[in-house]
mmCIF file with all atom_site columns, all heavy atoms in Angstrom:
data_model
loop_
_atom_site.group_PDB
_atom_site.id
_atom_site.type_symbol
_atom_site.label_atom_id
_atom_site.label_alt_id
_atom_site.label_comp_id
_atom_site.label_asym_id
_atom_site.label_entity_id
_atom_site.label_seq_id
_atom_site.pdbx_PDB_ins_code
_atom_site.Cartn_x
_atom_site.Cartn_y
_atom_site.Cartn_z
_atom_site.occupancy
_atom_site.B_iso_or_equiv
_atom_site.pdbx_formal_charge
_atom_site.auth_seq_id
_atom_site.auth_comp_id
_atom_site.auth_asym_id
_atom_site.auth_atom_id
_atom_site.pdbx_PDB_model_num
ATOM 1   N N   . SER A 1 157 ? 116.627 -44.888 -125.979 1.00 0.00 ? 157 SER A N   1
ATOM 2   C CA  . SER A 1 157 ? 116.487 -46.322 -125.780 1.00 0.00 ? 157 SER A CA  1
ATOM 3   C C   . SER A 1 157 ? 115.151 -46.792 -126.307 1.00 0.00 ? 157 SER A C   1
ATOM 4   O O   . SER A 1 157 ? 114.159 -46.080 -126.298 1.00 0.00 ? 157 SER A O   1
ATOM 5   C CB  . SER A 1 157 ? 116.570 -46.661 -124.281 1.00 0.00 ? 157 SER A CB  1
ATOM 6   O OG  . SER A 1 157 ? 115.517 -46.045 -123.579 1.00 0.00 ? 157 SER A OG  1
ATOM 7   N N   . GLY A 1 158 ? 115.130 -48.029 -126.795 1.00 0.00 ? 158 GLY A N   1
ATOM 8   C CA  . GLY A 1 158 ? 113.884 -48.639 -127.201 1.00 0.00 ? 158 GLY A CA  1
ATOM 9   C C   . GLY A 1 158 ? 113.473 -48.264 -128.616 1.00 0.00 ? 158 GLY A C   1
ATOM 10  O O   . GLY A 1 158 ? 113.956 -47.314 -129.213 1.00 0.00 ? 158 GLY A O   1
ATOM 11  N N   . THR A 1 159 ? 112.585 -49.074 -129.169 1.00 0.00 ? 159 THR A N   1
ATOM 12  C CA  . THR A 1 159 ? 112.025 -48.813 -130.476 1.00 0.00 ? 159 THR A CA  1
ATOM 13  C C   . THR A 1 159 ? 110.527 -48.642 -130.312 1.00 0.00 ? 159 THR A C   1
ATOM 14  O O   . THR A 1 159 ? 109.966 -48.904 -129.269 1.00 0.00 ? 159 THR A O   1
ATOM 15  C CB  . THR A 1 159 ? 112.321 -49.992 -131.431 1.00 0.00 ? 159 THR A CB  1
ATOM 16  O OG1 . THR A 1 159 ? 111.778 -51.191 -130.857 1.00 0.00 ? 159 THR A OG1 1
ATOM 17  C CG2 . THR A 1 159 ? 113.807 -50.175 -131.620 1.00 0.00 ? 159 THR A CG2 1
ATOM 18  N N   . THR A 1 160 ? 109.888 -48.182 -131.352 1.00 0.00 ? 160 THR A N   1
ATOM 19  C CA  . THR A 1 160 ? 108.454 -47.957 -131.267 1.00 0.00 ? 160 THR A CA  1
ATOM 20  C C   . THR A 1 160 ? 107.700 -49.097 -131.919 1.00 0.00 ? 160 THR A C   1
ATOM 21  O O   . THR A 1 160 ? 108.170 -49.736 -132.846 1.00 0.00 ? 160 THR A O   1
ATOM 22  C CB  . THR A 1 160 ? 108.072 -46.635 -131.949 1.00 0.00 ? 160 THR A CB  1
ATOM 23  O OG1 . THR A 1 160 ? 108.396 -46.731 -133.339 1.00 0.00 ? 160 THR A OG1 1
ATOM 24  C CG2 . THR A 1 160 ? 108.806 -45.479 -131.309 1.00 0.00 ? 160 THR A CG2 1
ATOM 25  N N   . SER A 1 161 ? 106.494 -49.345 -131.414 1.00 0.00 ? 161 SER A N   1
ATOM 26  C CA  . SER A 1 161 ? 105.636 -50.386 -131.970 1.00 0.00 ? 161 SER A CA  1
ATOM 27  C C   . SER A 1 161 ? 104.197 -49.943 -131.805 1.00 0.00 ? 161 SER A C   1
ATOM 28  O O   . SER A 1 161 ? 103.707 -49.861 -130.694 1.00 0.00 ? 161 SER A O   1
ATOM 29  C CB  . SER A 1 161 ? 105.875 -51.716 -131.247 1.00 0.00 ? 161 SER A CB  1
ATOM 30  O OG  . SER A 1 161 ? 104.958 -52.701 -131.697 1.00 0.00 ? 161 SER A OG  1
ATOM 31  N N   . GLY A 1 162 ? 103.533 -49.660 -132.910 1.00 0.00 ? 162 GLY A N   1
ATOM 32  C CA  . GLY A 1 162 ? 102.140 -49.281 -132.838 1.00 0.00 ? 162 GLY A CA  1
ATOM 33  C C   . GLY A 1 162 ? 101.894 -48.037 -132.017 1.00 0.00 ? 162 GLY A C   1
ATOM 34  O O   . GLY A 1 162 ? 100.850 -47.879 -131.410 1.00 0.00 ? 162 GLY A O   1
ATOM 35  N N   . GLY A 1 163 ? 102.849 -47.107 -131.981 1.00 0.00 ? 163 GLY A N   1
ATOM 36  C CA  . GLY A 1 163 ? 102.656 -45.876 -131.230 1.00 0.00 ? 163 GLY A CA  1
ATOM 37  C C   . GLY A 1 163 ? 103.070 -45.962 -129.790 1.00 0.00 ? 163 GLY A C   1
ATOM 38  O O   . GLY A 1 163 ? 102.948 -44.987 -129.059 1.00 0.00 ? 163 GLY A O   1
ATOM 39  N N   . VAL A 1 164 ? 103.569 -47.103 -129.344 1.00 0.00 ? 164 VAL A N   1
ATOM 40  C CA  . VAL A 1 164 ? 104.008 -47.262 -127.959 1.00 0.00 ? 164 VAL A CA  1
ATOM 41  C C   . VAL A 1 164 ? 105.491 -47.616 -127.963 1.00 0.00 ? 164 VAL A C   1
ATOM 42  O O   . VAL A 1 164 ? 105.901 -48.621 -128.552 1.00 0.00 ? 164 VAL A O   1
ATOM 43  C CB  . VAL A 1 164 ? 103.222 -48.367 -127.227 1.00 0.00 ? 164 VAL A CB  1
ATOM 44  C CG1 . VAL A 1 164 ? 103.685 -48.471 -125.781 1.00 0.00 ? 164 VAL A CG1 1
ATOM 45  C CG2 . VAL A 1 164 ? 101.739 -48.091 -127.286 1.00 0.00 ? 164 VAL A CG2 1
ATOM 46  N N   . LYS A 1 165 ? 106.300 -46.789 -127.327 1.00 0.00 ? 165 LYS A N   1
ATOM 47  C CA  . LYS A 1 165 ? 107.733 -47.049 -127.256 1.00 0.00 ? 165 LYS A CA  1
ATOM 48  C C   . LYS A 1 165 ? 108.005 -48.256 -126.366 1.00 0.00 ? 165 LYS A C   1
ATOM 49  O O   . LYS A 1 165 ? 107.461 -48.378 -125.289 1.00 0.00 ? 165 LYS A O   1
ATOM 50  C CB  . LYS A 1 165 ? 108.460 -45.828 -126.691 1.00 0.00 ? 165 LYS A CB  1
ATOM 51  C CG  . LYS A 1 165 ? 109.955 -46.023 -126.508 1.00 0.00 ? 165 LYS A CG  1
ATOM 52  C CD  . LYS A 1 165 ? 110.604 -44.727 -126.064 1.00 0.00 ? 165 LYS A CD  1
ATOM 53  C CE  . LYS A 1 165 ? 110.141 -44.299 -124.680 1.00 0.00 ? 165 LYS A CE  1
ATOM 54  N NZ  . LYS A 1 165 ? 110.646 -45.204 -123.633 1.00 0.00 ? 165 LYS A NZ  1
ATOM 55  N N   . PHE A 1 166 ? 108.828 -49.173 -126.841 1.00 0.00 ? 166 PHE A N   1
ATOM 56  C CA  . PHE A 1 166 ? 109.204 -50.314 -126.017 1.00 0.00 ? 166 PHE A CA  1
ATOM 57  C C   . PHE A 1 166 ? 110.202 -49.857 -124.954 1.00 0.00 ? 166 PHE A C   1
ATOM 58  O O   . PHE A 1 166 ? 111.255 -49.335 -125.259 1.00 0.00 ? 166 PHE A O   1
ATOM 59  C CB  . PHE A 1 166 ? 109.836 -51.419 -126.855 1.00 0.00 ? 166 PHE A CB  1
ATOM 60  C CG  . PHE A 1 166 ? 110.381 -52.542 -126.016 1.00 0.00 ? 166 PHE A CG  1
ATOM 61  C CD1 . PHE A 1 166 ? 109.525 -53.436 -125.400 1.00 0.00 ? 166 PHE A CD1 1
ATOM 62  C CD2 . PHE A 1 166 ? 111.747 -52.674 -125.805 1.00 0.00 ? 166 PHE A CD2 1
ATOM 63  C CE1 . PHE A 1 166 ? 110.016 -54.462 -124.611 1.00 0.00 ? 166 PHE A CE1 1
ATOM 64  C CE2 . PHE A 1 166 ? 112.257 -53.694 -125.008 1.00 0.00 ? 166 PHE A CE2 1
ATOM 65  C CZ  . PHE A 1 166 ? 111.380 -54.586 -124.424 1.00 0.00 ? 166 PHE A CZ  1
ATOM 66  N N   . GLU A 1 167 ? 109.834 -50.017 -123.721 1.00 0.00 ? 167 GLU A N   1
ATOM 67  C CA  . GLU A 1 167 ? 110.677 -49.616 -122.595 1.00 0.00 ? 167 GLU A CA  1
ATOM 68  C C   . GLU A 1 167 ? 110.722 -50.783 -121.623 1.00 0.00 ? 167 GLU A C   1
ATOM 69  O O   . GLU A 1 167 ? 109.734 -51.097 -120.960 1.00 0.00 ? 167 GLU A O   1
ATOM 70  C CB  . GLU A 1 167 ? 110.105 -48.375 -121.912 1.00 0.00 ? 167 GLU A CB  1
ATOM 71  C CG  . GLU A 1 167 ? 110.937 -47.849 -120.767 1.00 0.00 ? 167 GLU A CG  1
ATOM 72  C CD  . GLU A 1 167 ? 112.169 -47.094 -121.227 1.00 0.00 ? 167 GLU A CD  1
ATOM 73  O OE1 . GLU A 1 167 ? 112.052 -46.343 -122.202 1.00 0.00 ? 167 GLU A OE1 1
ATOM 74  O OE2 . GLU A 1 167 ? 113.236 -47.257 -120.608 1.00 0.00 ? 167 GLU A OE2 1
ATOM 75  N N   . ASP A 1 168 ? 111.859 -51.476 -121.579 1.00 0.00 ? 168 ASP A N   1
ATOM 76  C CA  . ASP A 1 168 ? 111.982 -52.639 -120.705 1.00 0.00 ? 168 ASP A CA  1
ATOM 77  C C   . ASP A 1 168 ? 112.064 -52.206 -119.248 1.00 0.00 ? 168 ASP A C   1
ATOM 78  O O   . ASP A 1 168 ? 112.185 -51.027 -118.936 1.00 0.00 ? 168 ASP A O   1
ATOM 79  C CB  . ASP A 1 168 ? 113.226 -53.430 -121.090 1.00 0.00 ? 168 ASP A CB  1
ATOM 80  C CG  . ASP A 1 168 ? 113.069 -54.919 -120.828 1.00 0.00 ? 168 ASP A CG  1
ATOM 81  O OD1 . ASP A 1 168 ? 112.092 -55.298 -120.157 1.00 0.00 ? 168 ASP A OD1 1
ATOM 82  O OD2 . ASP A 1 168 ? 113.906 -55.689 -121.303 1.00 0.00 ? 168 ASP A OD2 1
ATOM 83  N N   . PHE A 1 169 ? 111.997 -53.182 -118.365 1.00 0.00 ? 169 PHE A N   1
ATOM 84  C CA  . PHE A 1 169 ? 112.121 -52.871 -116.944 1.00 0.00 ? 169 PHE A CA  1
ATOM 85  C C   . PHE A 1 169 ? 113.531 -52.350 -116.628 1.00 0.00 ? 169 PHE A C   1
ATOM 86  O O   . PHE A 1 169 ? 114.472 -52.550 -117.388 1.00 0.00 ? 169 PHE A O   1
ATOM 87  C CB  . PHE A 1 169 ? 111.802 -54.107 -116.094 1.00 0.00 ? 169 PHE A CB  1
ATOM 88  C CG  . PHE A 1 169 ? 112.774 -55.254 -116.268 1.00 0.00 ? 169 PHE A CG  1
ATOM 89  C CD1 . PHE A 1 169 ? 113.880 -55.375 -115.442 1.00 0.00 ? 169 PHE A CD1 1
ATOM 90  C CD2 . PHE A 1 169 ? 112.566 -56.221 -117.235 1.00 0.00 ? 169 PHE A CD2 1
ATOM 91  C CE1 . PHE A 1 169 ? 114.768 -56.419 -115.583 1.00 0.00 ? 169 PHE A CE1 1
ATOM 92  C CE2 . PHE A 1 169 ? 113.454 -57.283 -117.384 1.00 0.00 ? 169 PHE A CE2 1
ATOM 93  C CZ  . PHE A 1 169 ? 114.553 -57.388 -116.554 1.00 0.00 ? 169 PHE A CZ  1
ATOM 94  N N   . ARG A 1 170 ? 113.667 -51.694 -115.486 1.00 0.00 ? 170 ARG A N   1
ATOM 95  C CA  . ARG A 1 170 ? 114.957 -51.134 -115.079 1.00 0.00 ? 170 ARG A CA  1
ATOM 96  C C   . ARG A 1 170 ? 115.301 -51.569 -113.663 1.00 0.00 ? 170 ARG A C   1
ATOM 97  O O   . ARG A 1 170 ? 114.440 -51.622 -112.782 1.00 0.00 ? 170 ARG A O   1
ATOM 98  C CB  . ARG A 1 170 ? 114.927 -49.604 -115.107 1.00 0.00 ? 170 ARG A CB  1
ATOM 99  C CG  . ARG A 1 170 ? 114.689 -48.989 -116.458 1.00 0.00 ? 170 ARG A CG  1
ATOM 100 C CD  . ARG A 1 170 ? 114.873 -47.485 -116.372 1.00 0.00 ? 170 ARG A CD  1
ATOM 101 N NE  . ARG A 1 170 ? 114.175 -46.783 -117.435 1.00 0.00 ? 170 ARG A NE  1
ATOM 102 C CZ  . ARG A 1 170 ? 114.110 -45.469 -117.527 1.00 0.00 ? 170 ARG A CZ  1
ATOM 103 N NH1 . ARG A 1 170 ? 114.693 -44.714 -116.608 1.00 0.00 ? 170 ARG A NH1 1
ATOM 104 N NH2 . ARG A 1 170 ? 113.450 -44.889 -118.509 1.00 0.00 ? 170 ARG A NH2 1
ATOM 105 N N   . ILE A 1 171 ? 116.571 -51.852 -113.468 1.00 0.00 ? 171 ILE A N   1
ATOM 106 C CA  . ILE A 1 171 ? 117.123 -52.094 -112.136 1.00 0.00 ? 171 ILE A CA  1
ATOM 107 C C   . ILE A 1 171 ? 118.118 -50.972 -111.885 1.00 0.00 ? 171 ILE A C   1
ATOM 108 O O   . ILE A 1 171 ? 119.130 -50.869 -112.572 1.00 0.00 ? 171 ILE A O   1
ATOM 109 C CB  . ILE A 1 171 ? 117.800 -53.471 -112.039 1.00 0.00 ? 171 ILE A CB  1
ATOM 110 C CG1 . ILE A 1 171 ? 116.767 -54.575 -112.323 1.00 0.00 ? 171 ILE A CG1 1
ATOM 111 C CG2 . ILE A 1 171 ? 118.430 -53.666 -110.667 1.00 0.00 ? 171 ILE A CG2 1
ATOM 112 C CD1 . ILE A 1 171 ? 117.344 -55.976 -112.341 1.00 0.00 ? 171 ILE A CD1 1
ATOM 113 N N   . VAL A 1 172 ? 117.812 -50.117 -110.926 1.00 0.00 ? 172 VAL A N   1
ATOM 114 C CA  . VAL A 1 172 ? 118.591 -48.904 -110.700 1.00 0.00 ? 172 VAL A CA  1
ATOM 115 C C   . VAL A 1 172 ? 119.297 -48.994 -109.350 1.00 0.00 ? 172 VAL A C   1
ATOM 116 O O   . VAL A 1 172 ? 118.656 -49.193 -108.314 1.00 0.00 ? 172 VAL A O   1
ATOM 117 C CB  . VAL A 1 172 ? 117.690 -47.654 -110.729 1.00 0.00 ? 172 VAL A CB  1
ATOM 118 C CG1 . VAL A 1 172 ? 118.509 -46.401 -110.498 1.00 0.00 ? 172 VAL A CG1 1
ATOM 119 C CG2 . VAL A 1 172 ? 116.936 -47.576 -112.062 1.00 0.00 ? 172 VAL A CG2 1
ATOM 120 N N   . GLY A 1 173 ? 120.633 -48.856 -109.377 1.00 0.00 ? 173 GLY A N   1
ATOM 121 C CA  . GLY A 1 173 ? 121.435 -48.970 -108.165 1.00 0.00 ? 173 GLY A CA  1
ATOM 122 C C   . GLY A 1 173 ? 122.164 -47.691 -107.804 1.00 0.00 ? 173 GLY A C   1
ATOM 123 O O   . GLY A 1 173 ? 121.945 -46.628 -108.401 1.00 0.00 ? 173 GLY A O   1
#
Side-chain angles (χ1 to χ4, degrees):
S157 62
T159 58
T160 63
S161 175
V164 182
K165 177 175 66 69
F166 173 73
E167 182 76 40
D168 211 349
F169 65 92
R170 297 188 203 175
I171 299 176
V172 180

